[in-house]
Amino acid sequence: MRTLAFFNNKGGVGKTTLLYHLAWMFSELGRRVVVADFDPQANLTSMFLPESQLEKLWDPDILTLQSIMAPLSPIIRGIGDIGSPPMIAVSPMIRLIPGDLNLSNFEANLSEAWGKCLDGSEPAFRTTSSLHRLVQAAAADFDSDLVLIDVGPTLGRSTVQR
C-alpha cells in the first residue's frame, strides 16, 4: 500500500481538486483507494458527498460522530486511544474518511503533544501518531492499494508520518 499526502503551505492551489480526480482515476485503473480528508475545511468530503449526506454527517444533534472526529474523540477527551476509522463507500473502489470542520480544534492537541514527545509522554506519542494510525487501519480494513490524504495548510508536516 502506498500513501500520498497532498500538502501546501498556501491554500487555494488546487490540491483538493487534484486529489479528488486522482482518486477517481486510480479507481478506474482498478486500484482500491482510501481518501482521507484531514483538511479542516473538509472540501474534499464536500466534493465526494451530496449535501443531504453532509447534513447528516455533521449534524450536532447526532450523538454518534461519523467523521474523522469520531475516532479522535477518546484522545481529545484524554480517556483513551483512537477508535476505528469511519469510512464511507463512495464507489466500489473508493472509501472516504470524512473530514470535519472541528478538526481545526484538534490542531492544538497536535501542537501540544509534539513538544511532550521529547519528554517520552506515551499519550503524546498516541496523539501525534493518531492520524497516521487511522490511515493505516483504514487501508488494512479496505485492503487498499493506495491512500490519498488531503492535509490543510495549518496541520503541517506533523500530521502525516511515514
PDB file of all heavy atoms in Angstrom, residues 36-42 45 58 65 67-73 76 97-110 130-131 134 149-152 154-155 159:
ATOM      1  N   ALA A  36      -8.480  10.251   2.597  1.00  0.00           N
ATOM      2  CA  ALA A  36      -8.606  10.805   3.945  1.00  0.00           C
ATOM      3  C   ALA A  36      -8.646  12.323   3.864  1.00  0.00           C
ATOM      4  O   ALA A  36      -7.715  12.946   3.349  1.00  0.00           O
ATOM      5  CB  ALA A  36      -7.438  10.358   4.818  1.00  0.00           C
ATOM      6  N   ASP A  37      -9.734  12.909   4.364  1.00  0.00           N
ATOM      7  CA  ASP A  37      -9.880  14.355   4.354  1.00  0.00           C
ATOM      8  C   ASP A  37      -9.445  14.904   5.707  1.00  0.00           C
ATOM      9  O   ASP A  37     -10.227  15.000   6.640  1.00  0.00           O
ATOM     10  CB  ASP A  37     -11.332  14.729   4.062  1.00  0.00           C
ATOM     11  CG  ASP A  37     -11.505  16.220   3.804  1.00  0.00           C
ATOM     12  OD1 ASP A  37     -10.517  16.975   3.953  1.00  0.00           O
ATOM     13  OD2 ASP A  37     -12.629  16.625   3.454  1.00  0.00           O
ATOM     14  N   PHE A  38      -8.166  15.274   5.808  1.00  0.00           N
ATOM     15  CA  PHE A  38      -7.612  15.833   7.038  1.00  0.00           C
ATOM     16  C   PHE A  38      -7.449  17.350   6.947  1.00  0.00           C
ATOM     17  O   PHE A  38      -6.704  17.942   7.720  1.00  0.00           O
ATOM     18  CB  PHE A  38      -6.269  15.184   7.375  1.00  0.00           C
ATOM     19  CG  PHE A  38      -6.362  13.732   7.743  1.00  0.00           C
ATOM     20  CD1 PHE A  38      -5.227  12.942   7.727  1.00  0.00           C
ATOM     21  CD2 PHE A  38      -7.558  13.143   8.100  1.00  0.00           C
ATOM     22  CE1 PHE A  38      -5.279  11.594   8.065  1.00  0.00           C
ATOM     23  CE2 PHE A  38      -7.632  11.796   8.436  1.00  0.00           C
ATOM     24  CZ  PHE A  38      -6.495  11.022   8.423  1.00  0.00           C
ATOM     25  N   ASP A  39      -8.124  17.966   6.006  1.00  0.00           N
ATOM     26  CA  ASP A  39      -8.139  19.417   5.900  1.00  0.00           C
ATOM     27  C   ASP A  39      -9.353  19.912   6.686  1.00  0.00           C
ATOM     28  O   ASP A  39     -10.475  19.498   6.402  1.00  0.00           O
ATOM     29  CB  ASP A  39      -8.251  19.846   4.438  1.00  0.00           C
ATOM     30  CG  ASP A  39      -8.125  21.337   4.230  1.00  0.00           C
ATOM     31  OD1 ASP A  39      -8.406  22.105   5.178  1.00  0.00           O
ATOM     32  OD2 ASP A  39      -7.757  21.742   3.123  1.00  0.00           O
ATOM     33  N   PRO A  40      -9.152  20.767   7.693  1.00  0.00           N
ATOM     34  CA  PRO A  40     -10.286  21.229   8.494  1.00  0.00           C
ATOM     35  C   PRO A  40     -11.393  21.926   7.702  1.00  0.00           C
ATOM     36  O   PRO A  40     -12.504  22.064   8.187  1.00  0.00           O
ATOM     37  CB  PRO A  40      -9.647  22.197   9.494  1.00  0.00           C
ATOM     38  CG  PRO A  40      -8.242  21.736   9.605  1.00  0.00           C
ATOM     39  CD  PRO A  40      -7.875  21.236   8.228  1.00  0.00           C
ATOM     40  N   GLN A  41     -11.118  22.352   6.484  1.00  0.00           N
ATOM     41  CA  GLN A  41     -12.180  22.929   5.663  1.00  0.00           C
ATOM     42  C   GLN A  41     -13.119  21.852   5.120  1.00  0.00           C
ATOM     43  O   GLN A  41     -14.237  22.155   4.724  1.00  0.00           O
ATOM     44  CB  GLN A  41     -11.585  23.735   4.509  1.00  0.00           C
ATOM     45  CG  GLN A  41     -10.872  24.978   4.966  1.00  0.00           C
ATOM     46  CD  GLN A  41     -10.326  25.794   3.803  1.00  0.00           C
ATOM     47  OE1 GLN A  41     -10.435  25.415   2.642  1.00  0.00           O
ATOM     48  NE2 GLN A  41      -9.718  26.917   4.118  1.00  0.00           N
ATOM     49  N   ALA A  42     -12.657  20.611   5.071  1.00  0.00           N
ATOM     50  CA  ALA A  42     -13.452  19.457   4.635  1.00  0.00           C
ATOM     51  C   ALA A  42     -14.031  19.614   3.224  1.00  0.00           C
ATOM     52  O   ALA A  42     -15.087  19.059   2.916  1.00  0.00           O
ATOM     53  CB  ALA A  42     -14.556  19.161   5.648  1.00  0.00           C
ATOM     54  N   THR A  45     -14.430  16.182   1.348  1.00  0.00           N
ATOM     55  CA  THR A  45     -15.644  15.469   1.747  1.00  0.00           C
ATOM     56  C   THR A  45     -16.848  16.051   1.014  1.00  0.00           C
ATOM     57  O   THR A  45     -17.708  15.307   0.522  1.00  0.00           O
ATOM     58  CB  THR A  45     -15.838  15.558   3.272  1.00  0.00           C
ATOM     59  OG1 THR A  45     -14.703  14.945   3.909  1.00  0.00           O
ATOM     60  CG2 THR A  45     -17.098  14.858   3.725  1.00  0.00           C
ATOM     61  N   TRP A  58     -22.580  15.856   9.614  1.00  0.00           N
ATOM     62  CA  TRP A  58     -22.107  16.888  10.528  1.00  0.00           C
ATOM     63  C   TRP A  58     -23.201  17.418  11.454  1.00  0.00           C
ATOM     64  O   TRP A  58     -23.044  18.466  12.071  1.00  0.00           O
ATOM     65  CB  TRP A  58     -21.496  18.044   9.747  1.00  0.00           C
ATOM     66  CG  TRP A  58     -20.260  17.669   9.003  1.00  0.00           C
ATOM     67  CD1 TRP A  58     -19.319  16.762   9.377  1.00  0.00           C
ATOM     68  CD2 TRP A  58     -19.814  18.195   7.759  1.00  0.00           C
ATOM     69  NE1 TRP A  58     -18.324  16.694   8.445  1.00  0.00           N
ATOM     70  CE2 TRP A  58     -18.596  17.557   7.433  1.00  0.00           C
ATOM     71  CE3 TRP A  58     -20.320  19.140   6.867  1.00  0.00           C
ATOM     72  CZ2 TRP A  58     -17.882  17.852   6.278  1.00  0.00           C
ATOM     73  CZ3 TRP A  58     -19.614  19.428   5.721  1.00  0.00           C
ATOM     74  CH2 TRP A  58     -18.402  18.785   5.432  1.00  0.00           C
ATOM     75  N   LEU A  65     -20.698  10.486  16.119  1.00  0.00           N
ATOM     76  CA  LEU A  65     -19.973  11.198  15.071  1.00  0.00           C
ATOM     77  C   LEU A  65     -19.605  10.233  13.960  1.00  0.00           C
ATOM     78  O   LEU A  65     -19.219   9.100  14.214  1.00  0.00           O
ATOM     79  CB  LEU A  65     -18.712  11.833  15.641  1.00  0.00           C
ATOM     80  CG  LEU A  65     -18.907  12.928  16.671  1.00  0.00           C
ATOM     81  CD1 LEU A  65     -17.573  13.311  17.283  1.00  0.00           C
ATOM     82  CD2 LEU A  65     -19.563  14.138  16.042  1.00  0.00           C
ATOM     83  N   SER A  67     -17.528  11.316  11.313  1.00  0.00           N
ATOM     84  CA  SER A  67     -16.405  11.908  10.598  1.00  0.00           C
ATOM     85  C   SER A  67     -15.099  11.503  11.278  1.00  0.00           C
ATOM     86  O   SER A  67     -15.085  10.706  12.206  1.00  0.00           O
ATOM     87  CB  SER A  67     -16.545  13.438  10.610  1.00  0.00           C
ATOM     88  OG  SER A  67     -16.305  13.925  11.922  1.00  0.00           O
ATOM     89  N   ILE A  68     -14.025  12.120  10.858  1.00  0.00           N
ATOM     90  CA  ILE A  68     -12.705  11.854  11.434  1.00  0.00           C
ATOM     91  C   ILE A  68     -12.679  12.168  12.926  1.00  0.00           C
ATOM     92  O   ILE A  68     -11.871  11.621  13.676  1.00  0.00           O
ATOM     93  CB  ILE A  68     -11.614  12.666  10.680  1.00  0.00           C
ATOM     94  CG1 ILE A  68     -10.215  12.299  11.167  1.00  0.00           C
ATOM     95  CG2 ILE A  68     -11.840  14.160  10.821  1.00  0.00           C
ATOM     96  CD1 ILE A  68      -9.854  10.854  10.995  1.00  0.00           C
ATOM     97  N   MET A  69     -13.596  13.002  13.391  1.00  0.00           N
ATOM     98  CA  MET A  69     -13.620  13.372  14.803  1.00  0.00           C
ATOM     99  C   MET A  69     -14.043  12.208  15.701  1.00  0.00           C
ATOM    100  O   MET A  69     -13.690  12.185  16.877  1.00  0.00           O
ATOM    101  CB  MET A  69     -14.534  14.577  15.024  1.00  0.00           C
ATOM    102  CG  MET A  69     -14.036  15.851  14.347  1.00  0.00           C
ATOM    103  SD  MET A  69     -12.327  16.283  14.769  1.00  0.00           S
ATOM    104  CE  MET A  69     -12.533  16.716  16.488  1.00  0.00           C
ATOM    105  N   ALA A  70     -14.782  11.255  15.176  1.00  0.00           N
ATOM    106  CA  ALA A  70     -15.244  10.125  16.000  1.00  0.00           C
ATOM    107  C   ALA A  70     -14.082   9.326  16.578  1.00  0.00           C
ATOM    108  O   ALA A  70     -14.011   9.138  17.794  1.00  0.00           O
ATOM    109  CB  ALA A  70     -16.182   9.233  15.197  1.00  0.00           C
ATOM    110  N   PRO A  71     -13.150   8.851  15.761  1.00  0.00           N
ATOM    111  CA  PRO A  71     -12.054   8.071  16.351  1.00  0.00           C
ATOM    112  C   PRO A  71     -11.065   8.907  17.151  1.00  0.00           C
ATOM    113  O   PRO A  71     -10.336   8.369  17.983  1.00  0.00           O
ATOM    114  CB  PRO A  71     -11.379   7.429  15.141  1.00  0.00           C
ATOM    115  CG  PRO A  71     -11.712   8.309  13.998  1.00  0.00           C
ATOM    116  CD  PRO A  71     -13.080   8.863  14.299  1.00  0.00           C
ATOM    117  N   LEU A  72     -11.042  10.214  16.923  1.00  0.00           N
ATOM    118  CA  LEU A  72     -10.135  11.087  17.674  1.00  0.00           C
ATOM    119  C   LEU A  72     -10.707  11.488  19.026  1.00  0.00           C
ATOM    120  O   LEU A  72      -9.967  11.944  19.906  1.00  0.00           O
ATOM    121  CB  LEU A  72      -9.824  12.349  16.860  1.00  0.00           C
ATOM    122  CG  LEU A  72      -9.032  12.151  15.581  1.00  0.00           C
ATOM    123  CD1 LEU A  72      -8.906  13.469  14.831  1.00  0.00           C
ATOM    124  CD2 LEU A  72      -7.674  11.537  15.850  1.00  0.00           C
ATOM    125  N   SER A  73     -11.987  11.321  19.205  1.00  0.00           N
ATOM    126  CA  SER A  73     -12.653  11.768  20.424  1.00  0.00           C
ATOM    127  C   SER A  73     -12.021  11.246  21.716  1.00  0.00           C
ATOM    128  O   SER A  73     -11.802  12.030  22.648  1.00  0.00           O
ATOM    129  CB  SER A  73     -14.132  11.399  20.377  1.00  0.00           C
ATOM    130  OG  SER A  73     -14.783  11.804  21.540  1.00  0.00           O
ATOM    131  N   ILE A  76      -8.850  13.268  22.314  1.00  0.00           N
ATOM    132  CA  ILE A  76      -9.158  14.660  22.644  1.00  0.00           C
ATOM    133  C   ILE A  76      -9.663  14.766  24.081  1.00  0.00           C
ATOM    134  O   ILE A  76      -9.275  15.667  24.818  1.00  0.00           O
ATOM    135  CB  ILE A  76     -10.194  15.224  21.651  1.00  0.00           C
ATOM    136  CG1 ILE A  76      -9.569  15.337  20.251  1.00  0.00           C
ATOM    137  CG2 ILE A  76     -10.723  16.578  22.124  1.00  0.00           C
ATOM    138  CD1 ILE A  76     -10.561  15.605  19.145  1.00  0.00           C
ATOM    139  N   ILE A  97     -12.590   8.691   4.307  1.00  0.00           N
ATOM    140  CA  ILE A  97     -12.588   9.047   5.730  1.00  0.00           C
ATOM    141  C   ILE A  97     -13.026  10.502   5.743  1.00  0.00           C
ATOM    142  O   ILE A  97     -12.256  11.391   5.363  1.00  0.00           O
ATOM    143  CB  ILE A  97     -11.199   8.881   6.372  1.00  0.00           C
ATOM    144  CG1 ILE A  97     -10.707   7.444   6.268  1.00  0.00           C
ATOM    145  CG2 ILE A  97     -11.243   9.342   7.825  1.00  0.00           C
ATOM    146  CD1 ILE A  97      -9.281   7.243   6.752  1.00  0.00           C
ATOM    147  N   PRO A  98     -14.272  10.765   6.151  1.00  0.00           N
ATOM    148  CA  PRO A  98     -14.820  12.117   6.031  1.00  0.00           C
ATOM    149  C   PRO A  98     -14.147  13.120   6.951  1.00  0.00           C
ATOM    150  O   PRO A  98     -13.833  12.822   8.103  1.00  0.00           O
ATOM    151  CB  PRO A  98     -16.291  11.964   6.430  1.00  0.00           C
ATOM    152  CG  PRO A  98     -16.556  10.510   6.485  1.00  0.00           C
ATOM    153  CD  PRO A  98     -15.247   9.820   6.668  1.00  0.00           C
ATOM    154  N   GLY A  99     -13.935  14.293   6.414  1.00  0.00           N
ATOM    155  CA  GLY A  99     -13.370  15.384   7.192  1.00  0.00           C
ATOM    156  C   GLY A  99     -14.415  16.030   8.071  1.00  0.00           C
ATOM    157  O   GLY A  99     -15.598  15.661   8.052  1.00  0.00           O
ATOM    158  N   ASP A 100     -13.975  16.998   8.838  1.00  0.00           N
ATOM    159  CA  ASP A 100     -14.877  17.680   9.765  1.00  0.00           C
ATOM    160  C   ASP A 100     -14.310  19.066  10.055  1.00  0.00           C
ATOM    161  O   ASP A 100     -13.101  19.212  10.250  1.00  0.00           O
ATOM    162  CB  ASP A 100     -14.990  16.880  11.069  1.00  0.00           C
ATOM    163  CG  ASP A 100     -16.144  17.313  11.930  1.00  0.00           C
ATOM    164  OD1 ASP A 100     -16.186  18.506  12.316  1.00  0.00           O
ATOM    165  OD2 ASP A 100     -17.000  16.469  12.240  1.00  0.00           O
ATOM    166  N   LEU A 101     -15.188  20.062  10.100  1.00  0.00           N
ATOM    167  CA  LEU A 101     -14.754  21.425  10.408  1.00  0.00           C
ATOM    168  C   LEU A 101     -14.135  21.517  11.796  1.00  0.00           C
ATOM    169  O   LEU A 101     -13.282  22.364  12.053  1.00  0.00           O
ATOM    170  CB  LEU A 101     -15.942  22.381  10.292  1.00  0.00           C
ATOM    171  CG  LEU A 101     -16.635  22.413   8.929  1.00  0.00           C
ATOM    172  CD1 LEU A 101     -17.872  23.290   8.990  1.00  0.00           C
ATOM    173  CD2 LEU A 101     -15.691  22.869   7.843  1.00  0.00           C
ATOM    174  N   ASN A 102     -14.534  20.632  12.692  1.00  0.00           N
ATOM    175  CA  ASN A 102     -13.997  20.641  14.056  1.00  0.00           C
ATOM    176  C   ASN A 102     -12.568  20.101  14.149  1.00  0.00           C
ATOM    177  O   ASN A 102     -11.966  20.151  15.215  1.00  0.00           O
ATOM    178  CB  ASN A 102     -14.908  19.852  14.992  1.00  0.00           C
ATOM    179  CG  ASN A 102     -16.208  20.572  15.238  1.00  0.00           C
ATOM    180  OD1 ASN A 102     -16.214  21.761  15.506  1.00  0.00           O
ATOM    181  ND2 ASN A 102     -17.309  19.849  15.113  1.00  0.00           N
ATOM    182  N   LEU A 103     -12.050  19.588  13.045  1.00  0.00           N
ATOM    183  CA  LEU A 103     -10.670  19.093  13.064  1.00  0.00           C
ATOM    184  C   LEU A 103      -9.694  20.218  13.407  1.00  0.00           C
ATOM    185  O   LEU A 103      -8.623  19.960  13.965  1.00  0.00           O
ATOM    186  CB  LEU A 103     -10.314  18.452  11.722  1.00  0.00           C
ATOM    187  CG  LEU A 103      -8.989  17.720  11.635  1.00  0.00           C
ATOM    188  CD1 LEU A 103      -8.918  16.578  12.658  1.00  0.00           C
ATOM    189  CD2 LEU A 103      -8.784  17.162  10.234  1.00  0.00           C
ATOM    190  N   SER A 104     -10.079  21.436  13.105  1.00  0.00           N
ATOM    191  CA  SER A 104      -9.196  22.568  13.444  1.00  0.00           C
ATOM    192  C   SER A 104      -8.953  22.641  14.950  1.00  0.00           C
ATOM    193  O   SER A 104      -7.892  23.090  15.390  1.00  0.00           O
ATOM    194  CB  SER A 104      -9.780  23.884  12.937  1.00  0.00           C
ATOM    195  OG  SER A 104     -11.039  24.126  13.529  1.00  0.00           O
ATOM    196  N   ASN A 105      -9.919  22.179  15.750  1.00  0.00           N
ATOM    197  CA  ASN A 105      -9.734  22.159  17.205  1.00  0.00           C
ATOM    198  C   ASN A 105      -8.669  21.145  17.631  1.00  0.00           C
ATOM    199  O   ASN A 105      -8.059  21.293  18.685  1.00  0.00           O
ATOM    200  CB  ASN A 105     -11.054  21.841  17.911  1.00  0.00           C
ATOM    201  CG  ASN A 105     -12.099  22.897  17.653  1.00  0.00           C
ATOM    202  OD1 ASN A 105     -11.781  24.059  17.431  1.00  0.00           O
ATOM    203  ND2 ASN A 105     -13.354  22.492  17.662  1.00  0.00           N
ATOM    204  N   PHE A 106      -8.485  20.106  16.832  1.00  0.00           N
ATOM    205  CA  PHE A 106      -7.509  19.071  17.153  1.00  0.00           C
ATOM    206  C   PHE A 106      -6.074  19.537  16.919  1.00  0.00           C
ATOM    207  O   PHE A 106      -5.130  18.980  17.465  1.00  0.00           O
ATOM    208  CB  PHE A 106      -7.808  17.805  16.338  1.00  0.00           C
ATOM    209  CG  PHE A 106      -6.946  16.624  16.680  1.00  0.00           C
ATOM    210  CD1 PHE A 106      -6.933  16.088  17.972  1.00  0.00           C
ATOM    211  CD2 PHE A 106      -6.152  16.016  15.717  1.00  0.00           C
ATOM    212  CE1 PHE A 106      -6.148  15.000  18.292  1.00  0.00           C
ATOM    213  CE2 PHE A 106      -5.366  14.920  16.033  1.00  0.00           C
ATOM    214  CZ  PHE A 106      -5.360  14.410  17.318  1.00  0.00           C
ATOM    215  N   GLU A 107      -5.921  20.580  16.118  1.00  0.00           N
ATOM    216  CA  GLU A 107      -4.580  21.102  15.818  1.00  0.00           C
ATOM    217  C   GLU A 107      -3.841  21.508  17.089  1.00  0.00           C
ATOM    218  O   GLU A 107      -2.638  21.287  17.202  1.00  0.00           O
ATOM    219  CB  GLU A 107      -4.680  22.288  14.859  1.00  0.00           C
ATOM    220  CG  GLU A 107      -5.168  21.916  13.492  1.00  0.00           C
ATOM    221  CD  GLU A 107      -5.407  23.122  12.611  1.00  0.00           C
ATOM    222  OE1 GLU A 107      -5.305  24.278  13.095  1.00  0.00           O
ATOM    223  OE2 GLU A 107      -5.692  22.909  11.435  1.00  0.00           O
ATOM    224  N   ALA A 108      -4.565  22.071  18.035  1.00  0.00           N
ATOM    225  CA  ALA A 108      -3.936  22.475  19.293  1.00  0.00           C
ATOM    226  C   ALA A 108      -3.411  21.251  20.042  1.00  0.00           C
ATOM    227  O   ALA A 108      -2.318  21.285  20.616  1.00  0.00           O
ATOM    228  CB  ALA A 108      -4.923  23.247  20.160  1.00  0.00           C
ATOM    229  N   ASN A 109      -4.177  20.165  20.009  1.00  0.00           N
ATOM    230  CA  ASN A 109      -3.735  18.923  20.649  1.00  0.00           C
ATOM    231  C   ASN A 109      -2.436  18.423  20.011  1.00  0.00           C
ATOM    232  O   ASN A 109      -1.528  17.983  20.714  1.00  0.00           O
ATOM    233  CB  ASN A 109      -4.798  17.830  20.513  1.00  0.00           C
ATOM    234  CG  ASN A 109      -6.067  18.146  21.254  1.00  0.00           C
ATOM    235  OD1 ASN A 109      -6.749  19.099  20.902  1.00  0.00           O
ATOM    236  ND2 ASN A 109      -6.407  17.357  22.245  1.00  0.00           N
ATOM    237  N   LEU A 110      -2.379  18.490  18.679  1.00  0.00           N
ATOM    238  CA  LEU A 110      -1.180  18.029  17.976  1.00  0.00           C
ATOM    239  C   LEU A 110       0.035  18.872  18.345  1.00  0.00           C
ATOM    240  O   LEU A 110       1.113  18.343  18.606  1.00  0.00           O
ATOM    241  CB  LEU A 110      -1.403  18.060  16.462  1.00  0.00           C
ATOM    242  CG  LEU A 110      -2.315  17.000  15.881  1.00  0.00           C
ATOM    243  CD1 LEU A 110      -2.593  17.284  14.409  1.00  0.00           C
ATOM    244  CD2 LEU A 110      -1.723  15.616  16.048  1.00  0.00           C
ATOM    245  N   SER A 130      -1.781   9.633  15.806  1.00  0.00           N
ATOM    246  CA  SER A 130      -3.173   9.205  15.665  1.00  0.00           C
ATOM    247  C   SER A 130      -3.670   9.206  14.223  1.00  0.00           C
ATOM    248  O   SER A 130      -4.292   8.234  13.780  1.00  0.00           O
ATOM    249  CB  SER A 130      -4.091  10.060  16.538  1.00  0.00           C
ATOM    250  OG  SER A 130      -4.007  11.420  16.169  1.00  0.00           O
ATOM    251  N   LEU A 131      -3.408  10.267  13.480  1.00  0.00           N
ATOM    252  CA  LEU A 131      -3.897  10.318  12.102  1.00  0.00           C
ATOM    253  C   LEU A 131      -3.204   9.278  11.231  1.00  0.00           C
ATOM    254  O   LEU A 131      -3.836   8.641  10.385  1.00  0.00           O
ATOM    255  CB  LEU A 131      -3.731  11.728  11.538  1.00  0.00           C
ATOM    256  CG  LEU A 131      -4.551  12.809  12.249  1.00  0.00           C
ATOM    257  CD1 LEU A 131      -4.223  14.186  11.683  1.00  0.00           C
ATOM    258  CD2 LEU A 131      -6.029  12.529  12.153  1.00  0.00           C
ATOM    259  N   LEU A 134      -4.774   5.959  12.029  1.00  0.00           N
ATOM    260  CA  LEU A 134      -6.109   5.852  11.442  1.00  0.00           C
ATOM    261  C   LEU A 134      -6.032   5.511   9.956  1.00  0.00           C
ATOM    262  O   LEU A 134      -6.794   4.694   9.453  1.00  0.00           O
ATOM    263  CB  LEU A 134      -6.885   7.155  11.647  1.00  0.00           C
ATOM    264  CG  LEU A 134      -7.413   7.377  13.052  1.00  0.00           C
ATOM    265  CD1 LEU A 134      -7.923   8.800  13.219  1.00  0.00           C
ATOM    266  CD2 LEU A 134      -8.501   6.367  13.381  1.00  0.00           C
ATOM    267  N   ILE A 149      -4.213  11.516   0.925  1.00  0.00           N
ATOM    268  CA  ILE A 149      -4.530  12.316   2.105  1.00  0.00           C
ATOM    269  C   ILE A 149      -4.506  13.793   1.749  1.00  0.00           C
ATOM    270  O   ILE A 149      -3.504  14.301   1.248  1.00  0.00           O
ATOM    271  CB  ILE A 149      -3.519  12.056   3.243  1.00  0.00           C
ATOM    272  CG1 ILE A 149      -3.454  10.566   3.582  1.00  0.00           C
ATOM    273  CG2 ILE A 149      -3.887  12.879   4.475  1.00  0.00           C
ATOM    274  CD1 ILE A 149      -2.337  10.212   4.542  1.00  0.00           C
ATOM    275  N   ASP A 150      -5.612  14.463   2.044  1.00  0.00           N
ATOM    276  CA  ASP A 150      -5.693  15.906   1.874  1.00  0.00           C
ATOM    277  C   ASP A 150      -5.424  16.552   3.226  1.00  0.00           C
ATOM    278  O   ASP A 150      -6.144  16.313   4.191  1.00  0.00           O
ATOM    279  CB  ASP A 150      -7.086  16.300   1.370  1.00  0.00           C
ATOM    280  CG  ASP A 150      -7.156  17.735   0.887  1.00  0.00           C
ATOM    281  OD1 ASP A 150      -6.093  18.345   0.659  1.00  0.00           O
ATOM    282  OD2 ASP A 150      -8.286  18.242   0.732  1.00  0.00           O
ATOM    283  N   VAL A 151      -4.372  17.358   3.307  1.00  0.00           N
ATOM    284  CA  VAL A 151      -3.966  17.988   4.558  1.00  0.00           C
ATOM    285  C   VAL A 151      -4.035  19.495   4.379  1.00  0.00           C
ATOM    286  O   VAL A 151      -3.516  20.032   3.408  1.00  0.00           O
ATOM    287  CB  VAL A 151      -2.526  17.578   4.941  1.00  0.00           C
ATOM    288  CG1 VAL A 151      -2.096  18.234   6.228  1.00  0.00           C
ATOM    289  CG2 VAL A 151      -2.417  16.071   5.054  1.00  0.00           C
ATOM    290  N   GLY A 152      -4.676  20.162   5.320  1.00  0.00           N
ATOM    291  CA  GLY A 152      -4.779  21.615   5.266  1.00  0.00           C
ATOM    292  C   GLY A 152      -3.458  22.287   5.563  1.00  0.00           C
ATOM    293  O   GLY A 152      -2.569  21.699   6.183  1.00  0.00           O
ATOM    294  N   THR A 154      -2.614  24.415   7.735  1.00  0.00           N
ATOM    295  CA  THR A 154      -2.283  24.640   9.136  1.00  0.00           C
ATOM    296  C   THR A 154      -1.892  23.370   9.866  1.00  0.00           C
ATOM    297  O   THR A 154      -1.255  23.426  10.906  1.00  0.00           O
ATOM    298  CB  THR A 154      -3.458  25.291   9.879  1.00  0.00           C
ATOM    299  OG1 THR A 154      -4.621  24.483   9.697  1.00  0.00           O
ATOM    300  CG2 THR A 154      -3.722  26.686   9.359  1.00  0.00           C
ATOM    301  N   LEU A 155      -2.291  22.204   9.353  1.00  0.00           N
ATOM    302  CA  LEU A 155      -1.937  20.964  10.043  1.00  0.00           C
ATOM    303  C   LEU A 155      -0.461  20.634   9.890  1.00  0.00           C
ATOM    304  O   LEU A 155       0.153  20.076  10.765  1.00  0.00           O
ATOM    305  CB  LEU A 155      -2.794  19.798   9.557  1.00  0.00           C
ATOM    306  CG  LEU A 155      -4.193  19.738  10.136  1.00  0.00           C
ATOM    307  CD1 LEU A 155      -4.987  18.619   9.484  1.00  0.00           C
ATOM    308  CD2 LEU A 155      -4.197  19.566  11.621  1.00  0.00           C
ATOM    309  N   THR A 159       1.312  16.051  10.748  1.00  0.00           N
ATOM    310  CA  THR A 159       0.077  15.283  10.609  1.00  0.00           C
ATOM    311  C   THR A 159       0.331  13.928   9.974  1.00  0.00           C
ATOM    312  O   THR A 159      -0.219  12.920  10.396  1.00  0.00           O
ATOM    313  CB  THR A 159      -0.927  16.064   9.743  1.00  0.00           C
ATOM    314  OG1 THR A 159      -1.146  17.310  10.363  1.00  0.00           O
ATOM    315  CG2 THR A 159      -2.231  15.313   9.608  1.00  0.00           C
TER     316      THR A 159
END
